[in-house]
mmCIF file of all heavy atoms in Angstrom:
data_model
loop_
_atom_site.group_PDB
_atom_site.id
_atom_site.type_symbol
_atom_site.label_atom_id
_atom_site.label_comp_id
_atom_site.label_asym_id
_atom_site.label_seq_id
_atom_site.Cartn_x
_atom_site.Cartn_y
_atom_site.Cartn_z
ATOM 1 N N LYS B 40 63.590 -25.446 -55.726
ATOM 2 C CA LYS B 40 62.283 -25.116 -56.297
ATOM 3 C C LYS B 40 62.435 -24.967 -57.802
ATOM 4 O O LYS B 40 63.373 -24.322 -58.280
ATOM 5 C CB LYS B 40 61.750 -23.816 -55.701
ATOM 6 C CG LYS B 40 61.121 -24.014 -54.332
ATOM 7 C CD LYS B 40 60.260 -22.829 -53.969
ATOM 8 C CE LYS B 40 59.478 -23.135 -52.699
ATOM 9 N NZ LYS B 40 58.645 -22.000 -52.302
ATOM 10 N N LEU B 41 61.497 -25.582 -58.538
ATOM 11 C CA LEU B 41 61.520 -25.454 -59.992
ATOM 12 C C LEU B 41 60.449 -24.461 -60.427
ATOM 13 O O LEU B 41 59.427 -24.287 -59.748
ATOM 14 C CB LEU B 41 61.258 -26.815 -60.644
ATOM 15 C CG LEU B 41 62.386 -27.847 -60.496
ATOM 16 C CD1 LEU B 41 61.941 -29.184 -61.049
ATOM 17 C CD2 LEU B 41 63.645 -27.368 -61.221
ATOM 18 N N ASN B 42 60.683 -23.916 -61.574
ATOM 19 C CA ASN B 42 59.743 -22.949 -62.132
ATOM 20 C C ASN B 42 58.484 -23.650 -62.627
ATOM 21 O O ASN B 42 58.556 -24.667 -63.321
ATOM 22 C CB ASN B 42 60.427 -22.210 -63.284
ATOM 23 C CG ASN B 42 59.487 -21.249 -63.968
ATOM 24 O OD1 ASN B 42 58.639 -20.647 -63.315
ATOM 25 N ND2 ASN B 42 59.643 -21.104 -65.268
ATOM 26 N N THR B 43 57.318 -23.162 -62.256
ATOM 27 C CA THR B 43 56.055 -23.668 -62.821
ATOM 28 C C THR B 43 55.287 -22.485 -63.394
ATOM 29 O O THR B 43 55.580 -21.328 -63.073
ATOM 30 C CB THR B 43 55.187 -24.360 -61.753
ATOM 31 O OG1 THR B 43 54.941 -23.427 -60.690
ATOM 32 C CG2 THR B 43 55.881 -25.597 -61.216
ATOM 33 N N VAL B 44 54.285 -22.823 -64.214
ATOM 34 C CA VAL B 44 53.529 -21.780 -64.918
ATOM 35 C C VAL B 44 52.073 -21.851 -64.491
ATOM 36 O O VAL B 44 51.481 -22.940 -64.472
ATOM 37 C CB VAL B 44 53.639 -21.960 -66.451
ATOM 38 C CG1 VAL B 44 52.720 -20.990 -67.172
ATOM 39 C CG2 VAL B 44 55.075 -21.764 -66.906
ATOM 40 N N SER B 45 51.505 -20.735 -64.121
ATOM 41 C CA SER B 45 50.056 -20.685 -63.881
ATOM 42 C C SER B 45 49.396 -20.014 -65.084
ATOM 43 O O SER B 45 49.977 -19.128 -65.717
ATOM 44 C CB SER B 45 49.734 -19.933 -62.599
ATOM 45 O OG SER B 45 50.190 -18.603 -62.692
ATOM 46 N N ILE B 46 48.160 -20.501 -65.364
ATOM 47 C CA ILE B 46 47.465 -20.067 -66.581
ATOM 48 C C ILE B 46 46.202 -19.329 -66.189
ATOM 49 O O ILE B 46 45.420 -19.826 -65.359
ATOM 50 C CB ILE B 46 47.100 -21.293 -67.453
ATOM 51 C CG1 ILE B 46 48.364 -22.080 -67.802
ATOM 52 C CG2 ILE B 46 46.353 -20.860 -68.709
ATOM 53 C CD1 ILE B 46 48.084 -23.462 -68.360
ATOM 54 N N LYS B 47 45.969 -18.188 -66.807
ATOM 55 C CA LYS B 47 44.733 -17.457 -66.583
ATOM 56 C C LYS B 47 44.100 -17.094 -67.924
ATOM 57 O O LYS B 47 44.806 -16.724 -68.864
ATOM 58 C CB LYS B 47 44.988 -16.178 -65.786
ATOM 59 C CG LYS B 47 45.124 -16.396 -64.295
ATOM 60 C CD LYS B 47 45.152 -15.083 -63.557
ATOM 61 C CE LYS B 47 45.240 -15.300 -62.052
ATOM 62 N NZ LYS B 47 45.400 -14.034 -61.335
ATOM 63 N N THR B 48 42.779 -17.214 -67.969
ATOM 64 C CA THR B 48 42.029 -16.775 -69.154
ATOM 65 C C THR B 48 40.813 -15.992 -68.669
ATOM 66 O O THR B 48 40.397 -16.129 -67.512
ATOM 67 C CB THR B 48 41.549 -17.981 -69.993
ATOM 68 O OG1 THR B 48 40.867 -18.899 -69.135
ATOM 69 C CG2 THR B 48 42.720 -18.685 -70.652
ATOM 70 N N ALA B 49 40.260 -15.212 -69.558
ATOM 71 C CA ALA B 49 39.138 -14.361 -69.165
ATOM 72 C C ALA B 49 37.910 -15.190 -68.817
ATOM 73 O O ALA B 49 37.141 -14.843 -67.923
ATOM 74 C CB ALA B 49 38.823 -13.378 -70.281
ATOM 75 N N ASP B 50 37.704 -16.304 -69.519
ATOM 76 C CA ASP B 50 36.515 -17.142 -69.296
ATOM 77 C C ASP B 50 36.953 -18.539 -68.887
ATOM 78 O O ASP B 50 38.053 -18.994 -69.223
ATOM 79 C CB ASP B 50 35.668 -17.221 -70.568
ATOM 80 C CG ASP B 50 35.134 -15.855 -70.970
ATOM 81 O OD1 ASP B 50 34.493 -15.198 -70.128
ATOM 82 O OD2 ASP B 50 35.398 -15.442 -72.113
ATOM 83 N N SER B 51 36.046 -19.218 -68.194
ATOM 84 C CA SER B 51 36.369 -20.568 -67.758
ATOM 85 C C SER B 51 35.641 -21.630 -68.574
ATOM 86 O O SER B 51 35.847 -22.824 -68.384
ATOM 87 C CB SER B 51 36.009 -20.738 -66.284
ATOM 88 O OG SER B 51 34.636 -20.460 -66.091
ATOM 89 N N SER B 52 34.750 -21.231 -69.469
ATOM 90 C CA SER B 52 34.096 -22.169 -70.389
ATOM 91 C C SER B 52 33.773 -21.418 -71.670
ATOM 92 O O SER B 52 33.695 -20.180 -71.670
ATOM 93 C CB SER B 52 32.827 -22.760 -69.773
ATOM 94 O OG SER B 52 31.878 -21.740 -69.556
ATOM 95 N N PHE B 53 33.581 -22.189 -72.746
ATOM 96 C CA PHE B 53 33.403 -21.547 -74.049
ATOM 97 C C PHE B 53 32.289 -22.234 -74.831
ATOM 98 O O PHE B 53 32.144 -23.458 -74.786
ATOM 99 C CB PHE B 53 34.711 -21.606 -74.852
ATOM 100 C CG PHE B 53 35.852 -20.931 -74.146
ATOM 101 C CD1 PHE B 53 36.693 -21.663 -73.307
ATOM 102 C CD2 PHE B 53 36.058 -19.565 -74.262
ATOM 103 C CE1 PHE B 53 37.728 -21.048 -72.620
ATOM 104 C CE2 PHE B 53 37.089 -18.945 -73.582
ATOM 105 C CZ PHE B 53 37.924 -19.679 -72.761
ATOM 106 N N VAL B 54 31.506 -21.430 -75.526
ATOM 107 C CA VAL B 54 30.460 -21.917 -76.418
ATOM 108 C C VAL B 54 30.723 -21.289 -77.779
ATOM 109 O O VAL B 54 30.890 -20.070 -77.889
ATOM 110 C CB VAL B 54 29.049 -21.532 -75.929
ATOM 111 C CG1 VAL B 54 27.997 -22.014 -76.919
ATOM 112 C CG2 VAL B 54 28.793 -22.114 -74.547
ATOM 113 N N ILE B 55 30.771 -22.125 -78.797
ATOM 114 C CA ILE B 55 31.119 -21.620 -80.121
ATOM 115 C C ILE B 55 30.209 -22.277 -81.146
ATOM 116 O O ILE B 55 29.789 -23.418 -80.976
ATOM 117 C CB ILE B 55 32.602 -21.919 -80.442
ATOM 118 C CG1 ILE B 55 33.036 -21.296 -81.765
ATOM 119 C CG2 ILE B 55 32.878 -23.402 -80.489
ATOM 120 C CD1 ILE B 55 33.706 -19.986 -81.593
ATOM 121 N N THR B 56 29.905 -21.568 -82.192
ATOM 122 C CA THR B 56 29.165 -22.138 -83.308
ATOM 123 C C THR B 56 30.159 -22.733 -84.291
ATOM 124 O O THR B 56 31.204 -22.139 -84.558
ATOM 125 C CB THR B 56 28.320 -21.065 -84.005
ATOM 126 O OG1 THR B 56 27.403 -20.532 -83.054
ATOM 127 C CG2 THR B 56 27.551 -21.645 -85.175
ATOM 128 N N GLN B 57 29.812 -23.912 -84.769
ATOM 129 C CA GLN B 57 30.698 -24.629 -85.679
ATOM 130 C C GLN B 57 31.179 -23.714 -86.800
ATOM 131 O O GLN B 57 30.379 -22.963 -87.384
ATOM 132 C CB GLN B 57 29.949 -25.833 -86.259
ATOM 133 C CG GLN B 57 30.820 -26.817 -86.998
ATOM 134 C CD GLN B 57 29.989 -27.962 -87.557
ATOM 135 O OE1 GLN B 57 28.809 -27.778 -87.859
ATOM 136 N NE2 GLN B 57 30.578 -29.125 -87.676
ATOM 137 N N LEU B 58 32.476 -23.764 -87.069
ATOM 138 C CA LEU B 58 33.177 -23.015 -88.126
ATOM 139 C C LEU B 58 33.450 -21.564 -87.748
ATOM 140 O O LEU B 58 34.173 -20.868 -88.461
ATOM 141 C CB LEU B 58 32.439 -23.069 -89.472
ATOM 142 C CG LEU B 58 32.213 -24.467 -90.045
ATOM 143 C CD1 LEU B 58 31.496 -24.393 -91.380
ATOM 144 C CD2 LEU B 58 33.531 -25.215 -90.205
ATOM 145 N N ASP B 59 32.898 -21.098 -86.632
ATOM 146 C CA ASP B 59 33.277 -19.771 -86.153
ATOM 147 C C ASP B 59 34.673 -19.840 -85.539
ATOM 148 O O ASP B 59 35.167 -20.919 -85.200
ATOM 149 C CB ASP B 59 32.277 -19.268 -85.099
ATOM 150 C CG ASP B 59 31.004 -18.736 -85.753
ATOM 151 O OD1 ASP B 59 30.933 -18.781 -86.999
ATOM 152 O OD2 ASP B 59 30.098 -18.305 -85.018
#
Side-chain angles (χ1 to χ4, degrees):
Chain B
K40 280 197 172 179
L41 290 174
N42 176 35
T43 57
V44 173
S45 61
I46 302 166
K47 280 189 178 174
T48 51
D50 297 306
S51 58
S52 64
F53 301 92
V54 178
I55 185 96
T56 300
Q57 192 181 29
L58 301 181
D59 281 0

